[in-house]
Amino acid sequence: MADRRKFLLGAGAMLSIAACGRRETVLDETGVRARKLIDARPSLDLHAHPGRTFIRDGRNFSPAIRLFAASGAFEQRVVRDMAAGGMTAAVFSAVSDIEVLDFKGKGLASRRAFNPGEAFDSYKRQIAALNALFANGLAEKFFQSMIFAP
């Protein structure tokens, strides 16, 4: 029953998130001051997972991670939001252990050992997906507009 319970809780959480949609944010005084600070200085994300690229084309996920992955990756929205939020630069990172992780308690934990070559294959898959962000112009457009704009 624990697996069924995890599935139902995960499905309910995903449906709740999907139902929320996006809303415009109204900035209070602190938000206005924060925006001025961001606009005046470089803003760096040193460990970004743009749009959950790490789940794209993944295999051997746990049932809960598979459910999490079912809503897909959304790189375009995230990169667009990063630019709109004033992000100057970001380091895009891979999650090569995603296939062996599962939700446990309040976080993630390893659920099994890696199969031979699995972590490296996952890493290569994710790096290819991140490189595709540049190949299709999505990330390049972000960085050109943020770094090279006068």
Side-chain angles (χ1 to χ4, degrees):
M1 285 301 166
D3 289 336
R4 182 173 178 226
R5 183 175 184 198
K6 273 197 238 180
F7 173 80
L8 292 173
L9 287 172
M14 293 306 293
L15 289 172
S16 297
I17 290 168
C20 289
R22 295 186 58 176
R23 295 183 175 92
E24 288 296 316
T25 302
V26 176
L27 297 178
D28 61 9
E29 181 183 340
T30 302
V32 170
R33 289 176 40 213
R35 186 63 205 205
K36 285 180 182 178
L37 177 69
I38 289 169
D39 289 345
R41 290 172 178 74
S43 178
L44 311 172
D45 185 336
L46 299 177
H47 188 101
H49 301 288
R52 300 187 325 192
T53 300
F54 55 88
I55 62 159
R56 185 172 297 288
D57 301 322
R59 300 178 302 276
N60 302 320
F61 292 148
S62 72
I65 297 292
R66 192 174 19 246
L67 182 63
F68 171 77
S71 61
F74 35 85
E75 295 97 336
Q76 291 184 350
R77 187 184 85 208
V78 170
V79 172
R80 185 176 54 246
D81 287 352
M82 290 171 82
M87 187 66 56
T88 305
V91 176
F92 293 167
S93 304
V95 184
S96 61
D97 60 348
I98 189 67
E99 280 85 0
V100 301
L101 295 178
D102 199 359
F103 293 104
K104 186 173 186 177
K106 294 183 180 183
L108 292 169
S110 179
R111 66 183 169 99
R112 62 175 176 83
F114 284 106
N115 294 321
E118 183 177 27
F120 189 53
D121 288 344
S122 179
Y123 171 78
K124 290 187 294 187
R125 172 184 59 77
Q126 291 177 56
I127 294 302
L130 291 170
N131 284 332
L133 296 179
F134 287 91
N136 71 22
L138 177 65
E140 263 181 30
K141 182 179 179 185
F142 165 68
F143 286 110
Q144 287 175 356
S145 67
M146 298 310 295
I147 295 174
F148 301 113

